[in-house]
Amino acid sequence: MAVTKIYIVYYSLHGHVETMAREVLRGANAVPDVEATLWQIPETLPEKILEKVQAAPRPDDVPEIQGEQLGEADGFMFGFPSRFGVMASQVMTFFDNTSDLWTSQALAGKPAGIFWSTGFHGGGQELTALTAVTKLAHHGMIFVPLGYTFGKGMYEMGEVKGGSPYGSGTYAADGSREPTELEIQQANYHGKYFAGIAKKLKKRSPV
């Protein structure tokens, strides 16, 4: 059977989204005949600002991606932190540089999912996802939401948990909070769930 290539493309300033991305990767690669790989979105902030905000070091084992490389994959999961209820500007810049792919509609019909990190409850656990869907729609990509397929973990009220029917998520608070075990489990499930759908779509594709 042909391999389904999934690119997990993320931007992470303090490491929260990176933690989620690695768990999404594990989940996706647990699906037979799926090859998922991690990619970092390039940084746009100057070094002086990164030092001031105490940004986490960028991992050496994850290559940076350029927009045109998206055309190589069968499906995508995009991860990013929230800024004022929308994706971080670094991710917006990345999508702004995909105009050639948009013109040719090279990504049309390919599945895409999203995951994220916000500061607090009002930081955009749903709004960040909703505003991100516009990027997918203009490219003709098929948005694959998580729904409530994660089961009882979606209804957890005994602890703070990120995520929504739109995808998996975490809270960073002031930067000191790390993804919880339940959020990690949800990210892993999300990767596996998405990979299964991407695999089915590729199998049924006429091209």
Side-chain angles (χ1 to χ4, degrees):
M1 182 178 290
V3 171
T4 301
K5 293 179 65 175
I6 295 175
Y7 280 8
I8 299 168
V9 182
Y10 75 92
Y11 171 77
S12 188
L13 184 64
H14 292 111
H16 300 82
V17 177
E18 181 191 337
T19 298
M20 298 287 283
R22 291 185 184 275
E23 204 57 44
V24 168
L25 176 74
R26 291 188 187 95
N29 277 328
V31 177
D33 302 312
V34 167
E35 179 185 281
T37 52
L38 283 181
W39 299 87
Q40 292 185 86
I41 288 175
E43 182 59 79
T44 60
L45 291 175
E47 193 63 36
K48 184 178 292 186
I49 299 299
L50 293 173
E51 292 176 3
K52 187 172 183 179
V53 300
Q54 298 180 322
R58 290 171 70 83
D60 296 329
D61 63 332
V62 183
E64 288 192 351
I65 188 171
Q66 300 303 316
E68 62 268 18
Q69 292 175 263
L70 293 179
E72 305 166 358
D74 300 306
F76 318 94
M77 289 197 70
F78 297 103
F80 38 79
S82 176
R83 302 288 185 265
F84 303 102
V86 298
M87 61 175 59
S89 62
Q90 291 85 347
V91 189
M92 288 191 177
T93 298
F94 174 79
F95 275 106
D96 286 347
N97 289 327
T98 60
S99 57
D100 287 346
L101 292 173
W102 171 78
T103 301
S104 64
Q105 286 293 283
L107 306 182
K110 295 186 178 186
I114 50 180
F115 58 99
W116 58 83
S117 170
T118 71
F120 300 94
H121 295 298
Q125 284 287 324
E126 288 198 345
L127 183 59
T128 303
L130 283 171
T131 52
V133 169
T134 60
K135 309 293 188 296
L136 311 183
H138 279 259
H139 275 289
M141 287 187 271
I142 302 171
F143 174 48
V144 180
L146 183 61
Y148 282 85
T149 62
F150 185 49
K152 65 179 183 179
M154 295 295 295
Y155 303 94
E156 175 59 47
M157 296 296 289
E159 64 176 84
V160 175
K161 184 189 77 67
S164 72
Y166 302 100
S168 51
T170 186
Y171 289 103
D174 60 358
S176 61
R177 182 185 185 272
E178 296 296 330
T180 65
E181 181 60 31
L182 185 57
E183 290 170 339
I184 291 290
Q185 291 173 7
Q186 186 179 49
N188 183 285
Y189 171 83
H190 192 187
K192 187 179 300 183
Y193 176 76
F194 176 84
I197 292 179
K199 179 180 174 180
K200 289 178 183 178
L201 288 173
K202 178 167 183 176
K203 183 178 180 181
R204 296 174 182 175
S205 175
V207 294

